[in-house]
Amino acid sequence: MTMAKTTKSELFEFDHPCPIRDVLDRIGDQWSLLILKSLEHNAMRFNSLHREIGDISRQMLSRTLKRLEKDGYITRTVYAQVPARVEYALAELGISFLKPMNTLIQWADENHQAICRARKRQN
Amino acid sequence: MTMAKTTKSELFEFDHPCPIRDVLDRIGDQWSLLILKSLEHNAMRFNSLHREIGDISRQMLSRTLKRLEKDGYITRTVYAQVPARVEYALAELGISFLKPMNTLIQWADENHQAICRARKRQN
DNA sequence: TTTATTAGTCTATAATGTAGACCACTTAAA
DNA sequence: TTTAAGTGGTCTACATTATAGACTAATAAA
């Protein structure tokens, strides 16, 4: 008997029981936040994002952008010119998200030292 | 020529160039936040955390607790009694962290619907 | 003609997360 | 006395995810 295997992420794609888990499973990864912060003050193209972030792989940049777009955090605009010009920009949801996120970033800035000290203390 | 391979996480263990990345690389994983929220109102033992969170593996619970302790978010107290009693509780840093985090959680609650709608819209 | 740009995709490999068996110990019930 | 269940974990085999870097096709500048 063959089973149409359902992965956890498929299972929870819609109507995740816990909002914050749903949000953080997406946004709390390695790269999403960095991308959103890069777009905070101006729209950007694929390759300039790649250069700005530096250590992200093209594949992960591509994937993460798609997810952010799908969830409504960013928009993707293709300009019909040659060579193609694709611009990524914050959508309403992304702008709104960065407000609470920025308070968290501020906390991180203020407490980074304390965390580093804690780490060193314990070897 | 053998190379003493250095992983990225080793490289950035101390003095990570970007505070928020450093913080989110640790806290933004699958489980850390869930654990911190479980400890928000009272200390807990290993197995009750395991039961409360439900779908975390023992290994990940163990690993994540160690990291949270090392970074100073939580404390681990062993009571010299039989059978052993090990309690995990929020440390100062953990309590302080949950303040900005809770505003983000509130945002997630308020915008979860919008995100789900965005996802459905795009297939 | 070589090089660089555009926005990505593809593949092989490395790193990470998972379930679930297992450990030594204690306690309580059958 | 055996059995089961609880304590706080570790270990192993496997599944999932991320990585680097080659590759695409088109265009433009040197």
Side-chain angles (χ1 to χ4, degrees):
Chain A
M1 182 178 162
T2 46
M3 192 106 172
K5 205 160 52 153
T6 308
T7 65
K8 216 172 183 178
S9 37
E10 277 165 10
L11 191 64
F12 287 124
E13 181 157 23
F14 307 120
D15 307 318
H16 197 292
C18 173
I20 183 62
R21 275 183 87 167
D22 189 21
V23 170
L24 278 190
D25 279 359
R26 305 274 185 145
I27 222 67
D29 70 316
Q30 194 77 211
W31 303 116
S32 296
L33 178 63
L34 247 64
I35 293 175
L36 292 180
K37 286 298 281 183
S38 297
L39 297 176
E40 190 167 17
H41 302 300
N42 38 56
M44 281 210 204
R45 302 172 67 175
F46 186 87
N47 279 329
S48 40
L49 278 168
H50 190 235
R51 276 189 299 270
E52 171 143 325
I53 297 178
D55 54 347
I56 190 174
S57 67
R58 298 169 165 288
Q59 191 172 55
M60 281 311 290
L61 179 56
S62 172
R63 268 192 216 161
T64 310
L65 285 169
K66 274 178 191 160
R67 247 187 10 200
L68 289 174
E69 190 200 354
K70 192 174 181 193
D71 283 13
Y73 291 100
I74 63 174
T75 57
R76 178 182 186 270
T77 315
V78 183
Y79 293 92
Q81 64 184 55
V82 157
R85 175 186 189 81
V86 181
E87 273 197 353
Y88 295 93
L90 285 187
E92 275 309 307
L93 197 70
I95 295 168
S96 146
F97 170 76
L98 281 180
K99 284 172 202 156
M101 195 63 223
N102 278 331
T103 74
L104 193 62
I105 291 173
Q106 200 191 331
W107 182 91
D109 285 336
E110 289 164 5
N111 292 273
H112 188 224
Q113 289 298 314
I115 293 167
C116 290
R117 260 182 274 122
R119 269 179 214 161
K120 280 174 183 159
R121 213 176 298 141
Q122 311 218 354
N123 169 36
Chain B
M1 183 179 162
T2 46
M3 192 106 173
K5 209 162 41 155
T6 309
T7 65
K8 215 174 184 179
S9 37
E10 277 164 12
L11 190 66
F12 288 122
E13 180 158 23
F14 306 121
D15 306 319
H16 196 291
C18 175
I20 183 63
R21 273 184 86 169
D22 188 20
V23 170
L24 277 190
D25 280 0
R26 305 273 184 147
I27 222 66
D29 70 315
Q30 195 76 212
W31 303 115
S32 296
L33 180 63
L34 245 65
I35 292 175
L36 291 180
K37 286 298 282 183
S38 296
L39 296 177
E40 191 167 17
H41 301 301
N42 39 55
M44 279 210 205
R45 304 172 68 173
F46 186 87
N47 280 329
S48 40
L49 277 168
H50 190 235
R51 276 190 298 269
E52 172 143 326
I53 298 178
D55 55 347
I56 190 173
S57 66
R58 297 170 164 285
Q59 191 173 54
M60 282 310 292
L61 179 55
S62 172
R63 270 191 213 161
T64 310
L65 286 169
K66 275 179 190 160
R67 249 186 11 199
L68 290 174
E69 190 200 355
K70 192 174 181 193
D71 283 14
Y73 291 100
I74 63 172
T75 57
R76 178 181 186 272
T77 314
V78 183
Y79 293 92
Q81 64 183 54
V82 155
R85 176 186 187 82
V86 181
E87 272 196 357
Y88 296 93
L90 286 188
E92 277 308 307
L93 197 70
I95 295 168
S96 145
F97 170 78
L98 281 180
K99 282 172 202 155
M101 194 63 222
N102 278 330
T103 75
L104 193 63
I105 290 172
Q106 200 191 329
W107 182 92
D109 285 336
E110 287 163 8
N111 291 274
H112 187 225
Q113 289 298 314
I115 294 167
C116 290
R117 259 181 275 122
R119 269 178 214 162
K120 280 174 184 162
R121 212 176 298 140
Q122 310 220 353
N123 169 39

